[in-house]
Amino acid sequence: MLLETSRLLLRPFVPSDFESLFAVIGDPVTMQFYPSAFDKQSTLDWIERNARRYEEDGSGLCAVVLKSSGEMIGDCGPVWQEVEGTRELEIGYHIRRDYWNCGYATEGARAAMAYAFEKFPVARLISLIRPENLPSRRVAEKNDLCIDREIDWKGIRHFVYAISRDEFAHRTSHRSQQP
Ligand SMILES: CC(C)(COP(=O)(O)OP(=O)(O)OC[C@H]1O[C@@H](n2cnc3c(N)ncnc32)[C@H](O)[C@@H]1OP(=O)(O)O)[C@@H](O)C(=O)NCCC(=O)NCCS
């Protein structure tokens, strides 16, 4: 996977991304909607788990790199999830806190969505988001995902945000026609 947007590159994680990734998912504020922040060992495991996903699933969370500086500032990408007995493709994202609200998650997620619809014959993509995670909900909504239902996901209430293939194609073509 190698995706390019106007400001970002999304590329597979490599072991040397460890320090940069730890600055993202090791931050307790960034991970406030998760059971806990990642420690160093679980960050290493995270990189290995995603390397396995690229091999086995053909997708996974990618490193988000700023084209302007080469700095790795987060992760974003499609990940297969088992949701109430159905295998669904989720678009996930985490951005380092000092880069929040610059539009990076929205931009990266949109590229990941285009890649996922092109590569996999899925009818829709989802994002699993806790109701209180307003920034993440806003990213989903800016990318035209809507709430499909509310579920218990790993013991915590989540909205299943979703967008169909047809809706994504319609919105993308509408955007490209705008001046
Ligand atoms: C969710 C996250 C990835 C968003 O990254 P980002 O690069 O800041 O996202 P964007 O800049 O593309 O968009 C953020 C939007 O949320 C809005 N926002 C931020 N804080 C908000 C709040 N408290 N309430 C409502 N909206 C908020 C921003 O204003 C922006 O919307 P706008 O463009 O209409 O102004 C980032 O906050 C993050 O890493 N959070 C922790 C990890 C996480 O929760 N990941 C998602 C798991 S489901």
Side-chain angles (χ1 to χ4, degrees):
M1 268 181 88
L2 180 61
L3 308 179
E4 184 170 0
T5 69
S6 55
R7 295 179 296 170
L8 305 172
L9 285 178
L10 273 64
R11 57 143 179 86
F13 275 101
V14 290
S16 57
D17 288 321
F18 168 74
E19 289 295 344
S20 303
L21 180 62
F22 186 60
V24 182
I25 62 175
D27 175 1
V29 176
T30 296
M31 302 309 282
Q32 65 189 293
F33 298 114
Y34 288 76
S36 63
F38 283 58
D39 61 18
K40 291 195 168 182
Q41 185 56 52
S42 54
T43 302
L44 284 170
D45 295 345
W46 194 102
I47 292 177
E48 277 178 20
R49 191 162 57 251
N50 274 284
R52 271 200 308 280
R53 282 180 176 143
Y54 306 142
E55 289 287 314
E56 293 169 8
D57 299 339
S59 68
L61 292 166
C62 289
V64 174
V65 177
L66 288 181
K67 279 161 62 171
S68 58
S69 63
E71 197 173 8
M72 202 224 87
I73 61 157
D75 66 77
C76 179
V79 175
W80 288 102
Q81 302 283 11
E82 189 80 14
V83 182
E84 296 187 317
T86 303
R87 199 161 179 255
E88 301 238 46
L89 199 52
E90 178 187 32
I91 303 297
Y93 34 73
H94 306 83
I95 297 292
R96 206 175 78 200
R97 190 156 34 115
D98 49 324
Y99 284 108
W100 283 0
N101 301 325
C102 300
Y104 292 131
T106 305
E107 187 172 320
R110 202 170 289 166
M113 289 160 68
Y115 169 85
F117 274 131
E118 194 181 311
K119 168 141 187 164
F120 300 100
V122 289
R124 69 179 202 163
L125 298 170
I126 64 161
S127 284
L128 295 158
I129 306 179
R130 288 179 63 169
E132 56 273 46
N133 191 346
L134 298 180
S136 183
R137 289 179 60 180
R138 178 78 189 121
V139 170
E141 286 160 10
K142 283 194 288 182
N143 280 338
D144 307 310
L145 285 83
C146 297
I147 296 172
D148 172 54
R149 64 188 195 278
E150 191 173 340
I151 62 166
D152 186 73
W153 170 250
K154 299 182 177 170
I156 303 170
R157 265 167 28 103
H158 281 77
F159 287 139
V160 180
Y161 273 86
I163 184 166
S164 70
R165 178 178 289 276
D166 287 350
E167 183 66 15
F168 181 74
H170 172 72
R171 297 285 186 156
T172 304
S173 102
H174 182 71
R175 269 200 195 93
S176 68
Q177 283 162 19
Q178 282 177 341

